[in-house]
Amino acid sequence: MMRAKIGKIAAAVLLTVGVTSAVAQIANSKHDLTASNTNPDVTIKASAGQNNDEICVYCHTPHAANTAFAGAPLWNKNDQNAPTTYTMYGTTVAGTQTLASPQAPSLACLSCHDGVSAINSIVNAPGSGGYVETGQYVAFGTTAAGTAFTMPAGVTQIGTDLTNDHPVSIPYTTGAASLKDPTTALPGTWNGATTIGDLLRGGNVECVSCHDPHAGENPTFLRMANGNVGSQLCLACHAK
Ligand code: HEC
Ligand code: HEC
Ligand code: HEC
Ligand code: HEC
């Protein structure tokens, strides 16, 4: 009797875990660029004492968004196409032609991670009258307002040379050697995705195929709940 009850409870718990979708935790992550971020590992953030203490504002705005940019919704930056060219992974990868330049979804990330574009550039600052069409540099760390702050050297500076990074803006070609069928269900729990197809943007692999910029609860903002334990993230697409 007792055992049956415990069994039922266990089953109910399992069921609940099974249907719970991942909830992203951007607050206090490395993508929380507000001055009030209390995470001791976070060194890159806004200076205290200015009206910029909103987490989302460094990437999104509810009004006056940059509609010319299609890589992410309600985008609050306008210099992601900074006069910059990128060196792509290669011209051919496993027989598939790579695109000549990063597509918009990856440019969203590169607008802070290429080491050239300004992290502290926003179009519409919080509060009344904060809009500057051409963008504005908010005060960041010891960098004064009006001055661009770019990603310091280090592993988080992906740079403009993408030859040493997993290919992005690369078509996910159905039937290509080693790639699984895109309708295949993903193993485990992923933020905002249940099949391989959900990971693609315009049919391509982009930074957001593997990362969710809001997923501060996962190691290195990976989209898979466990990060990349056992290389499960890689094995989701590659039949190896
Ligand atoms: C560091 C940049 C960054 C920050 C900060 C950020 N976002 Fe995003 N957001 C993105 C990008 C890039 C995408 C596109 C993601 C994709 O294509 O999967 C996105 C997409 C979204 C989407 C639509 C797709 C989805 O994942 O649901 C929503 C809603 C959203 N963001 C809300 C927010 C809110 C609310 C905040 C603040 C709490 C926030 N974001 C902070 C970069 C950011
Ligand atoms: C508004 C600027 C901004 C945008 C846009 C942005 N990032 Fe970041 N990201 C940062 C900063 C700042 C850090 C902290 C870097 C450091 O401390 O070296 C960071 C750190 C990271 C890290 C390292 C996390 C860790 O725990 O070490 C990853 C992974 C990352 N970003 C991926 C992305 C991806 C993928 C995108 C696009 C979906 C993106 N970022 C868009 C600013 C940004
Ligand atoms: C095929 C999957 C995949 C793609 C595509 C991808 N990443 Fe990553 N990224 C990872 C994994 C896995 C890690 C963690 C392991 C590591 O650092 O090598 C990571 C780590 C990172 C880190 C943190 C490095 C560190 O050690 O702190 C940054 C920053 C980052 N990625 C940014 C990007 C950006 C920007 C793009 C697009 C230009 C991108 N990633 C595309 C899988 C990917
Ligand atoms: C969203 C699906 C996806 C994920 C996740 C993914 N890849 Fe890939 N990967 C691709 C695609 C698409 C290509 C392009 C080559 C092809 O068509 O086979 C590729 C290419 C490669 C290549 C071959 C490059 C060449 O020069 O031929 C390697 C190696 C690779 N990926 C390793 C990894 C590793 C390691 C991970 C985990 C960190 C990973 N991939 C995660 C889709 C993915």
Side-chain angles (χ1 to χ4, degrees):
M1 173 74 178
M2 194 59 184
R3 188 180 291 171
K5 203 171 185 184
I6 290 169
K8 256 185 208 155
I9 292 169
V13 168
L14 277 178
L15 213 72
T16 315
V17 169
V19 296
T20 302
S21 59
V23 175
Q25 289 292 336
I26 195 171
N28 280 329
S29 76
K30 290 197 177 174
H31 279 168
D32 174 353
L33 304 182
T34 63
S36 52
N37 187 333
T38 54
N39 182 342
D41 293 339
V42 171
T43 51
I44 300 173
K45 56 181 183 176
S47 317
Q50 53 176 323
N51 187 20
N52 61 2
D53 231 14
E54 294 182 11
I55 299 174
C56 316
V57 78
Y58 296 98
C59 293
H60 305 288
T61 175
H63 303 290
N66 175 2
T67 52
F69 185 68
L74 294 171
W75 199 236
N76 201 21
K77 303 190 74 181
N78 68 358
D79 70 341
Q80 62 283 327
N81 293 312
T84 265
T85 51
Y86 298 87
T87 309
M88 301 300 277
Y89 177 84
T91 47
T92 57
V93 183
T96 311
Q97 188 71 32
T98 53
L99 296 168
S101 57
Q103 301 300 291
S106 289
L107 284 175
C109 312
L110 291 167
S111 77
C112 287
H113 282 277
D114 66 7
V116 179
S117 308
I119 293 174
N120 61 340
S121 165
I122 61 175
V123 175
N124 192 21
S128 177
Y131 175 71
V132 177
E133 188 176 7
T134 51
Q136 57 196 308
Y137 300 124
V138 296
F140 237 64
T142 54
T143 303
T147 305
F149 177 91
T150 56
M151 190 67 79
V155 71
T156 51
Q157 191 202 84
I158 298 295
T160 56
D161 180 353
L162 306 179
T163 53
N164 61 352
D165 301 292
H166 186 285
V168 291
S169 302
I170 176 104
Y172 191 97
T173 311
T174 311
S178 108
L179 290 179
K180 294 182 182 170
D181 186 294
T183 60
T184 308
L186 293 166
T189 306
W190 294 60
N191 287 42
T194 52
T195 66
I196 294 173
D198 297 336
L199 299 175
L200 308 177
R201 297 290 179 270
N204 300 324
V205 173
E206 305 288 358
C207 311
V208 289
S209 303
C210 300
H211 296 280
D212 174 351
H214 317 101
E217 73 282 13
N218 296 346
T220 57
F221 297 110
L222 288 174
R223 203 169 269 278
M224 192 178 180
N226 296 336
N228 194 15
V229 172
S231 292
Q232 283 189 71
L233 183 136
C234 315
L235 292 168
C237 292
H238 293 281
K240 288 286 180 210

